[in-house]
Amino acid sequence: VYTYLANAYMAIGRVKAATLSIMEMIRAAPCRMTSPPAAFSSRSRKIFAKARRQVMQEDSEAPVLTHVPPAATLLLRTGILRVKVTDDVGVRHVTLHYRFGEKGVFGEVDMQRVAPNRYRAKLPMAQLKRAPRLEYYIKATECANRHVAKQGNERQPLQIVFKQAPVSGKVLGGG
């Protein structure tokens, strides 16, 4: 609809109205509207680029990431981590960085959007069930790529312990 409006306004010389239509089109789907529609003229394409920059500059807030680590038993059953992410303009992507154990490089997987503001990732069950612990952090980036939200980080990851360290079996004291 906004594409048709913008083209119609351009055809009758109403550049300001066309610009407003283009801005509303970008606001409606800020992460998807990264390039102008094919139906746009070269002049409309220039207006689109300017309008996109302006809309992205309006994004003044970082995403808000809300995550409660699941109980170890639930994670071992499902392998799923969930997070809620909101932003005033839109969320580009949410990434889960994880490793099994305390050492090694963090792997990463894009979390899938399953509902408005809701994301989830499924961890590899075979590795998860063998691991003594899961260390992870979550990163969300908004559409303008200006702000990032994190819960945990590489140096201080979130942790879920699955198995306790083995007890030595030695009895201290007593004869």
Side-chain angles (χ1 to χ4, degrees), residues 73-104:
T73 54
L74 178 62
L75 186 60
L76 286 170
R77 239 186 355 260
T78 66
I80 294 174
L81 288 173
R82 300 175 195 279
V83 64
K84 178 181 177 185
V85 183
T86 57
D87 186 64
D88 60 329
V89 172
V91 177
R92 180 173 299 281
H93 62 270
V94 180
T95 308
L96 169 66
H97 301 264
Y98 68 94
R99 67 182 174 197
F100 301 106
E102 295 179 69
K103 297 183 186 206

PDB file of all heavy atoms in Angstrom, residues 73-104:
ATOM      1  N   THR A  73      16.900 -29.722  34.834  1.00  0.00           N
ATOM      2  CA  THR A  73      16.112 -30.894  34.418  1.00  0.00           C
ATOM      3  C   THR A  73      15.240 -30.581  33.206  1.00  0.00           C
ATOM      4  O   THR A  73      15.110 -31.413  32.307  1.00  0.00           O
ATOM      5  CB  THR A  73      15.223 -31.397  35.573  1.00  0.00           C
ATOM      6  OG1 THR A  73      14.438 -30.306  36.058  1.00  0.00           O
ATOM      7  CG2 THR A  73      16.062 -31.966  36.695  1.00  0.00           C
ATOM      8  N   LEU A  74      14.665 -29.388  33.152  1.00  0.00           N
ATOM      9  CA  LEU A  74      13.848 -29.000  31.999  1.00  0.00           C
ATOM     10  C   LEU A  74      14.712 -28.857  30.746  1.00  0.00           C
ATOM     11  O   LEU A  74      14.348 -29.345  29.671  1.00  0.00           O
ATOM     12  CB  LEU A  74      13.114 -27.685  32.279  1.00  0.00           C
ATOM     13  CG  LEU A  74      12.269 -27.143  31.120  1.00  0.00           C
ATOM     14  CD1 LEU A  74      11.150 -28.122  30.765  1.00  0.00           C
ATOM     15  CD2 LEU A  74      11.707 -25.778  31.479  1.00  0.00           C
ATOM     16  N   LEU A  75      15.861 -28.236  30.884  1.00  0.00           N
ATOM     17  CA  LEU A  75      16.752 -28.065  29.732  1.00  0.00           C
ATOM     18  C   LEU A  75      17.230 -29.415  29.201  1.00  0.00           C
ATOM     19  O   LEU A  75      17.297 -29.631  27.992  1.00  0.00           O
ATOM     20  CB  LEU A  75      17.941 -27.174  30.089  1.00  0.00           C
ATOM     21  CG  LEU A  75      18.855 -26.813  28.915  1.00  0.00           C
ATOM     22  CD1 LEU A  75      18.086 -26.064  27.824  1.00  0.00           C
ATOM     23  CD2 LEU A  75      20.020 -25.971  29.395  1.00  0.00           C
ATOM     24  N   LEU A  76      17.538 -30.329  30.094  1.00  0.00           N
ATOM     25  CA  LEU A  76      17.976 -31.667  29.662  1.00  0.00           C
ATOM     26  C   LEU A  76      16.858 -32.427  28.951  1.00  0.00           C
ATOM     27  O   LEU A  76      17.113 -33.285  28.114  1.00  0.00           O
ATOM     28  CB  LEU A  76      18.501 -32.478  30.841  1.00  0.00           C
ATOM     29  CG  LEU A  76      19.878 -32.062  31.344  1.00  0.00           C
ATOM     30  CD1 LEU A  76      20.200 -32.765  32.656  1.00  0.00           C
ATOM     31  CD2 LEU A  76      20.947 -32.341  30.298  1.00  0.00           C
ATOM     32  N   ARG A  77      15.619 -32.121  29.275  1.00  0.00           N
ATOM     33  CA  ARG A  77      14.476 -32.767  28.617  1.00  0.00           C
ATOM     34  C   ARG A  77      14.178 -32.157  27.250  1.00  0.00           C
ATOM     35  O   ARG A  77      13.854 -32.855  26.303  1.00  0.00           O
ATOM     36  CB  ARG A  77      13.235 -32.644  29.505  1.00  0.00           C
ATOM     37  CG  ARG A  77      12.652 -33.962  29.895  1.00  0.00           C
ATOM     38  CD  ARG A  77      11.342 -33.932  30.671  1.00  0.00           C
ATOM     39  NE  ARG A  77      10.784 -32.668  31.082  1.00  0.00           N
ATOM     40  CZ  ARG A  77      10.890 -32.144  32.307  1.00  0.00           C
ATOM     41  NH1 ARG A  77      11.553 -32.781  33.247  1.00  0.00           N
ATOM     42  NH2 ARG A  77      10.328 -30.998  32.605  1.00  0.00           N
ATOM     43  N   THR A  78      14.261 -30.819  27.143  1.00  0.00           N
ATOM     44  CA  THR A  78      13.829 -30.138  25.919  1.00  0.00           C
ATOM     45  C   THR A  78      14.973 -29.630  25.049  1.00  0.00           C
ATOM     46  O   THR A  78      14.823 -29.553  23.837  1.00  0.00           O
ATOM     47  CB  THR A  78      12.937 -28.933  26.257  1.00  0.00           C
ATOM     48  OG1 THR A  78      13.720 -27.956  26.958  1.00  0.00           O
ATOM     49  CG2 THR A  78      11.737 -29.347  27.085  1.00  0.00           C
ATOM     50  N   GLY A  79      16.072 -29.236  25.686  1.00  0.00           N
ATOM     51  CA  GLY A  79      17.190 -28.636  24.948  1.00  0.00           C
ATOM     52  C   GLY A  79      16.899 -27.227  24.465  1.00  0.00           C
ATOM     53  O   GLY A  79      17.634 -26.679  23.649  1.00  0.00           O
ATOM     54  N   ILE A  80      15.846 -26.614  24.988  1.00  0.00           N
ATOM     55  CA  ILE A  80      15.407 -25.315  24.470  1.00  0.00           C
ATOM     56  C   ILE A  80      15.663 -24.190  25.473  1.00  0.00           C
ATOM     57  O   ILE A  80      15.328 -24.301  26.641  1.00  0.00           O
ATOM     58  CB  ILE A  80      13.905 -25.363  24.107  1.00  0.00           C
ATOM     59  CG1 ILE A  80      13.693 -26.326  22.948  1.00  0.00           C
ATOM     60  CG2 ILE A  80      13.382 -23.972  23.756  1.00  0.00           C
ATOM     61  CD1 ILE A  80      12.239 -26.572  22.597  1.00  0.00           C
ATOM     62  N   LEU A  81      16.261 -23.101  24.961  1.00  0.00           N
ATOM     63  CA  LEU A  81      16.412 -21.866  25.713  1.00  0.00           C
ATOM     64  C   LEU A  81      15.488 -20.831  25.079  1.00  0.00           C
ATOM     65  O   LEU A  81      15.402 -20.733  23.851  1.00  0.00           O
ATOM     66  CB  LEU A  81      17.851 -21.365  25.666  1.00  0.00           C
ATOM     67  CG  LEU A  81      18.857 -22.163  26.481  1.00  0.00           C
ATOM     68  CD1 LEU A  81      20.269 -21.677  26.213  1.00  0.00           C
ATOM     69  CD2 LEU A  81      18.538 -22.051  27.960  1.00  0.00           C
ATOM     70  N   ARG A  82      14.810 -20.059  25.911  1.00  0.00           N
ATOM     71  CA  ARG A  82      13.851 -19.061  25.441  1.00  0.00           C
ATOM     72  C   ARG A  82      14.246 -17.673  25.956  1.00  0.00           C
ATOM     73  O   ARG A  82      14.831 -17.554  27.031  1.00  0.00           O
ATOM     74  CB  ARG A  82      12.455 -19.378  25.937  1.00  0.00           C
ATOM     75  CG  ARG A  82      11.934 -20.718  25.488  1.00  0.00           C
ATOM     76  CD  ARG A  82      10.578 -21.030  26.129  1.00  0.00           C
ATOM     77  NE  ARG A  82      10.234 -22.420  26.001  1.00  0.00           N
ATOM     78  CZ  ARG A  82       9.716 -22.975  24.910  1.00  0.00           C
ATOM     79  NH1 ARG A  82       9.512 -22.244  23.849  1.00  0.00           N
ATOM     80  NH2 ARG A  82       9.422 -24.251  24.881  1.00  0.00           N
ATOM     81  N   VAL A  83      13.861 -16.657  25.190  1.00  0.00           N
ATOM     82  CA  VAL A  83      14.150 -15.282  25.573  1.00  0.00           C
ATOM     83  C   VAL A  83      13.060 -14.372  25.008  1.00  0.00           C
ATOM     84  O   VAL A  83      12.456 -14.669  23.975  1.00  0.00           O
ATOM     85  CB  VAL A  83      15.558 -14.848  25.070  1.00  0.00           C
ATOM     86  CG1 VAL A  83      15.632 -14.832  23.563  1.00  0.00           C
ATOM     87  CG2 VAL A  83      15.973 -13.524  25.645  1.00  0.00           C
ATOM     88  N   LYS A  84      12.826 -13.285  25.706  1.00  0.00           N
ATOM     89  CA  LYS A  84      11.918 -12.243  25.229  1.00  0.00           C
ATOM     90  C   LYS A  84      12.774 -11.024  24.903  1.00  0.00           C
ATOM     91  O   LYS A  84      13.612 -10.619  25.712  1.00  0.00           O
ATOM     92  CB  LYS A  84      10.886 -11.893  26.306  1.00  0.00           C
ATOM     93  CG  LYS A  84       9.950 -10.779  25.898  1.00  0.00           C
ATOM     94  CD  LYS A  84       8.967 -10.466  27.026  1.00  0.00           C
ATOM     95  CE  LYS A  84       8.091  -9.291  26.633  1.00  0.00           C
ATOM     96  NZ  LYS A  84       7.209  -8.893  27.730  1.00  0.00           N
ATOM     97  N   VAL A  85      12.578 -10.445  23.714  1.00  0.00           N
ATOM     98  CA  VAL A  85      13.337  -9.263  23.313  1.00  0.00           C
ATOM     99  C   VAL A  85      12.377  -8.241  22.724  1.00  0.00           C
ATOM    100  O   VAL A  85      11.600  -8.556  21.824  1.00  0.00           O
ATOM    101  CB  VAL A  85      14.420  -9.602  22.256  1.00  0.00           C
ATOM    102  CG1 VAL A  85      15.234  -8.357  21.921  1.00  0.00           C
ATOM    103  CG2 VAL A  85      15.335 -10.709  22.751  1.00  0.00           C
ATOM    104  N   THR A  86      12.427  -7.029  23.245  1.00  0.00           N
ATOM    105  CA  THR A  86      11.611  -5.947  22.720  1.00  0.00           C
ATOM    106  C   THR A  86      12.519  -4.788  22.311  1.00  0.00           C
ATOM    107  O   THR A  86      13.633  -4.644  22.832  1.00  0.00           O
ATOM    108  CB  THR A  86      10.587  -5.444  23.757  1.00  0.00           C
ATOM    109  OG1 THR A  86      11.295  -5.031  24.931  1.00  0.00           O
ATOM    110  CG2 THR A  86       9.601  -6.533  24.129  1.00  0.00           C
ATOM    111  N   ASP A  87      12.041  -3.993  21.366  1.00  0.00           N
ATOM    112  CA  ASP A  87      12.781  -2.808  20.936  1.00  0.00           C
ATOM    113  C   ASP A  87      11.775  -1.799  20.393  1.00  0.00           C
ATOM    114  O   ASP A  87      10.724  -2.183  19.869  1.00  0.00           O
ATOM    115  CB  ASP A  87      13.811  -3.158  19.856  1.00  0.00           C
ATOM    116  CG  ASP A  87      14.680  -1.966  19.496  1.00  0.00           C
ATOM    117  OD1 ASP A  87      15.418  -1.496  20.379  1.00  0.00           O
ATOM    118  OD2 ASP A  87      14.599  -1.484  18.353  1.00  0.00           O
ATOM    119  N   ASP A  88      12.093  -0.522  20.500  1.00  0.00           N
ATOM    120  CA  ASP A  88      11.172   0.521  20.048  1.00  0.00           C
ATOM    121  C   ASP A  88      11.008   0.550  18.529  1.00  0.00           C
ATOM    122  O   ASP A  88       9.992   0.989  18.023  1.00  0.00           O
ATOM    123  CB  ASP A  88      11.599   1.896  20.582  1.00  0.00           C
ATOM    124  CG  ASP A  88      12.985   2.308  20.139  1.00  0.00           C
ATOM    125  OD1 ASP A  88      13.847   1.425  19.954  1.00  0.00           O
ATOM    126  OD2 ASP A  88      13.219   3.521  19.983  1.00  0.00           O
ATOM    127  N   VAL A  89      11.985   0.064  17.776  1.00  0.00           N
ATOM    128  CA  VAL A  89      11.878   0.040  16.310  1.00  0.00           C
ATOM    129  C   VAL A  89      11.743  -1.387  15.790  1.00  0.00           C
ATOM    130  O   VAL A  89      10.851  -1.695  15.029  1.00  0.00           O
ATOM    131  CB  VAL A  89      13.072   0.765  15.657  1.00  0.00           C
ATOM    132  CG1 VAL A  89      13.063   0.576  14.153  1.00  0.00           C
ATOM    133  CG2 VAL A  89      13.028   2.245  15.999  1.00  0.00           C
ATOM    134  N   GLY A  90      12.627  -2.275  16.202  1.00  0.00           N
ATOM    135  CA  GLY A  90      12.544  -3.661  15.756  1.00  0.00           C
ATOM    136  C   GLY A  90      13.828  -4.417  16.058  1.00  0.00           C
ATOM    137  O   GLY A  90      14.894  -3.822  16.168  1.00  0.00           O
ATOM    138  N   VAL A  91      13.726  -5.723  16.169  1.00  0.00           N
ATOM    139  CA  VAL A  91      14.864  -6.584  16.480  1.00  0.00           C
ATOM    140  C   VAL A  91      15.353  -7.231  15.183  1.00  0.00           C
ATOM    141  O   VAL A  91      14.577  -7.855  14.465  1.00  0.00           O
ATOM    142  CB  VAL A  91      14.467  -7.674  17.501  1.00  0.00           C
ATOM    143  CG1 VAL A  91      15.621  -8.622  17.773  1.00  0.00           C
ATOM    144  CG2 VAL A  91      13.994  -7.025  18.792  1.00  0.00           C
ATOM    145  N   ARG A  92      16.639  -7.056  14.880  1.00  0.00           N
ATOM    146  CA  ARG A  92      17.221  -7.652  13.668  1.00  0.00           C
ATOM    147  C   ARG A  92      17.480  -9.135  13.890  1.00  0.00           C
ATOM    148  O   ARG A  92      17.063  -9.966  13.115  1.00  0.00           O
ATOM    149  CB  ARG A  92      18.512  -6.959  13.273  1.00  0.00           C
ATOM    150  CG  ARG A  92      19.138  -7.575  12.008  1.00  0.00           C
ATOM    151  CD  ARG A  92      20.315  -6.815  11.490  1.00  0.00           C
ATOM    152  NE  ARG A  92      20.021  -5.463  11.113  1.00  0.00           N
ATOM    153  CZ  ARG A  92      19.446  -5.086   9.974  1.00  0.00           C
ATOM    154  NH1 ARG A  92      19.074  -5.977   9.107  1.00  0.00           N
ATOM    155  NH2 ARG A  92      19.232  -3.820   9.715  1.00  0.00           N
ATOM    156  N   HIS A  93      18.228  -9.457  14.953  1.00  0.00           N
ATOM    157  CA  HIS A  93      18.457 -10.867  15.268  1.00  0.00           C
ATOM    158  C   HIS A  93      18.876 -11.048  16.723  1.00  0.00           C
ATOM    159  O   HIS A  93      19.325 -10.114  17.377  1.00  0.00           O
ATOM    160  CB  HIS A  93      19.477 -11.507  14.315  1.00  0.00           C
ATOM    161  CG  HIS A  93      20.843 -10.893  14.356  1.00  0.00           C
ATOM    162  ND1 HIS A  93      21.208  -9.863  13.557  1.00  0.00           N
ATOM    163  CD2 HIS A  93      21.917 -11.176  15.105  1.00  0.00           C
ATOM    164  CE1 HIS A  93      22.455  -9.526  13.811  1.00  0.00           C
ATOM    165  NE2 HIS A  93      22.912 -10.297  14.741  1.00  0.00           N
ATOM    166  N   VAL A  94      18.673 -12.278  17.172  1.00  0.00           N
ATOM    167  CA  VAL A  94      19.026 -12.670  18.531  1.00  0.00           C
ATOM    168  C   VAL A  94      19.930 -13.893  18.396  1.00  0.00           C
ATOM    169  O   VAL A  94      19.594 -14.845  17.694  1.00  0.00           O
ATOM    170  CB  VAL A  94      17.771 -13.014  19.365  1.00  0.00           C
ATOM    171  CG1 VAL A  94      18.157 -13.419  20.772  1.00  0.00           C
ATOM    172  CG2 VAL A  94      16.801 -11.829  19.384  1.00  0.00           C
ATOM    173  N   THR A  95      21.085 -13.841  19.054  1.00  0.00           N
ATOM    174  CA  THR A  95      22.073 -14.910  18.925  1.00  0.00           C
ATOM    175  C   THR A  95      22.376 -15.526  20.283  1.00  0.00           C
ATOM    176  O   THR A  95      22.596 -14.814  21.260  1.00  0.00           O
ATOM    177  CB  THR A  95      23.383 -14.361  18.315  1.00  0.00           C
ATOM    178  OG1 THR A  95      23.074 -13.660  17.110  1.00  0.00           O
ATOM    179  CG2 THR A  95      24.361 -15.474  18.011  1.00  0.00           C
ATOM    180  N   LEU A  96      22.394 -16.845  20.313  1.00  0.00           N
ATOM    181  CA  LEU A  96      22.791 -17.595  21.500  1.00  0.00           C
ATOM    182  C   LEU A  96      24.234 -18.043  21.300  1.00  0.00           C
ATOM    183  O   LEU A  96      24.567 -18.672  20.291  1.00  0.00           O
ATOM    184  CB  LEU A  96      21.897 -18.823  21.680  1.00  0.00           C
ATOM    185  CG  LEU A  96      22.351 -19.837  22.734  1.00  0.00           C
ATOM    186  CD1 LEU A  96      22.276 -19.236  24.133  1.00  0.00           C
ATOM    187  CD2 LEU A  96      21.516 -21.101  22.634  1.00  0.00           C
ATOM    188  N   HIS A  97      25.101 -17.700  22.239  1.00  0.00           N
ATOM    189  CA  HIS A  97      26.504 -18.147  22.245  1.00  0.00           C
ATOM    190  C   HIS A  97      26.599 -19.168  23.377  1.00  0.00           C
ATOM    191  O   HIS A  97      26.221 -18.870  24.508  1.00  0.00           O
ATOM    192  CB  HIS A  97      27.440 -16.966  22.515  1.00  0.00           C
ATOM    193  CG  HIS A  97      27.317 -15.867  21.498  1.00  0.00           C
ATOM    194  ND1 HIS A  97      28.158 -15.766  20.428  1.00  0.00           N
ATOM    195  CD2 HIS A  97      26.434 -14.849  21.385  1.00  0.00           C
ATOM    196  CE1 HIS A  97      27.814 -14.721  19.701  1.00  0.00           C
ATOM    197  NE2 HIS A  97      26.766 -14.147  20.261  1.00  0.00           N
ATOM    198  N   TYR A  98      27.101 -20.355  23.092  1.00  0.00           N
ATOM    199  CA  TYR A  98      27.086 -21.416  24.106  1.00  0.00           C
ATOM    200  C   TYR A  98      28.322 -22.312  23.999  1.00  0.00           C
ATOM    201  O   TYR A  98      28.967 -22.404  22.958  1.00  0.00           O
ATOM    202  CB  TYR A  98      25.826 -22.269  23.973  1.00  0.00           C
ATOM    203  CG  TYR A  98      25.802 -23.087  22.697  1.00  0.00           C
ATOM    204  CD1 TYR A  98      26.264 -24.400  22.689  1.00  0.00           C
ATOM    205  CD2 TYR A  98      25.345 -22.542  21.509  1.00  0.00           C
ATOM    206  CE1 TYR A  98      26.266 -25.143  21.524  1.00  0.00           C
ATOM    207  CE2 TYR A  98      25.342 -23.274  20.349  1.00  0.00           C
ATOM    208  CZ  TYR A  98      25.809 -24.572  20.350  1.00  0.00           C
ATOM    209  OH  TYR A  98      25.822 -25.301  19.191  1.00  0.00           O
ATOM    210  N   ARG A  99      28.615 -22.948  25.112  1.00  0.00           N
ATOM    211  CA  ARG A  99      29.634 -24.000  25.139  1.00  0.00           C
ATOM    212  C   ARG A  99      29.253 -24.982  26.228  1.00  0.00           C
ATOM    213  O   ARG A  99      28.567 -24.644  27.195  1.00  0.00           O
ATOM    214  CB  ARG A  99      31.034 -23.438  25.353  1.00  0.00           C
ATOM    215  CG  ARG A  99      31.287 -22.826  26.709  1.00  0.00           C
ATOM    216  CD  ARG A  99      32.682 -22.261  26.804  1.00  0.00           C
ATOM    217  NE  ARG A  99      32.870 -21.559  28.062  1.00  0.00           N
ATOM    218  CZ  ARG A  99      33.839 -20.712  28.279  1.00  0.00           C
ATOM    219  NH1 ARG A  99      34.712 -20.443  27.333  1.00  0.00           N
ATOM    220  NH2 ARG A  99      33.947 -20.114  29.452  1.00  0.00           N
ATOM    221  N   PHE A 100      29.718 -26.201  26.081  1.00  0.00           N
ATOM    222  CA  PHE A 100      29.448 -27.253  27.059  1.00  0.00           C
ATOM    223  C   PHE A 100      30.701 -27.399  27.909  1.00  0.00           C
ATOM    224  O   PHE A 100      31.728 -27.841  27.432  1.00  0.00           O
ATOM    225  CB  PHE A 100      29.100 -28.561  26.350  1.00  0.00           C
ATOM    226  CG  PHE A 100      27.894 -28.428  25.469  1.00  0.00           C
ATOM    227  CD1 PHE A 100      28.018 -28.394  24.091  1.00  0.00           C
ATOM    228  CD2 PHE A 100      26.628 -28.298  26.012  1.00  0.00           C
ATOM    229  CE1 PHE A 100      26.909 -28.254  23.277  1.00  0.00           C
ATOM    230  CE2 PHE A 100      25.510 -28.153  25.215  1.00  0.00           C
ATOM    231  CZ  PHE A 100      25.657 -28.131  23.840  1.00  0.00           C
ATOM    232  N   GLY A 101      30.636 -26.987  29.150  1.00  0.00           N
ATOM    233  CA  GLY A 101      31.791 -27.000  30.032  1.00  0.00           C
ATOM    234  C   GLY A 101      32.296 -25.589  30.266  1.00  0.00           C
ATOM    235  O   GLY A 101      31.691 -24.614  29.833  1.00  0.00           O
ATOM    236  N   GLU A 102      33.451 -25.512  30.955  1.00  0.00           N
ATOM    237  CA  GLU A 102      33.986 -24.206  31.345  1.00  0.00           C
ATOM    238  C   GLU A 102      35.021 -23.666  30.375  1.00  0.00           C
ATOM    239  O   GLU A 102      35.432 -22.528  30.504  1.00  0.00           O
ATOM    240  CB  GLU A 102      34.639 -24.309  32.732  1.00  0.00           C
ATOM    241  CG  GLU A 102      33.659 -24.632  33.822  1.00  0.00           C
ATOM    242  CD  GLU A 102      34.359 -24.751  35.150  1.00  0.00           C
ATOM    243  OE1 GLU A 102      34.834 -23.724  35.658  1.00  0.00           O
ATOM    244  OE2 GLU A 102      34.423 -25.878  35.675  1.00  0.00           O
ATOM    245  N   LYS A 103      35.488 -24.477  29.461  1.00  0.00           N
ATOM    246  CA  LYS A 103      36.563 -24.047  28.561  1.00  0.00           C
ATOM    247  C   LYS A 103      36.146 -24.260  27.120  1.00  0.00           C
ATOM    248  O   LYS A 103      35.205 -24.981  26.825  1.00  0.00           O
ATOM    249  CB  LYS A 103      37.840 -24.818  28.854  1.00  0.00           C
ATOM    250  CG  LYS A 103      38.364 -24.557  30.245  1.00  0.00           C
ATOM    251  CD  LYS A 103      39.654 -25.256  30.501  1.00  0.00           C
ATOM    252  CE  LYS A 103      39.964 -25.018  31.964  1.00  0.00           C
ATOM    253  NZ  LYS A 103      41.266 -25.064  32.351  1.00  0.00           N
ATOM    254  N   GLY A 104      36.897 -23.630  26.253  1.00  0.00           N
ATOM    255  CA  GLY A 104      36.642 -23.796  24.831  1.00  0.00           C
ATOM    256  C   GLY A 104      35.970 -22.576  24.228  1.00  0.00           C
ATOM    257  O   GLY A 104      35.613 -21.618  24.908  1.00  0.00           O
TER     258      GLY A 104
END
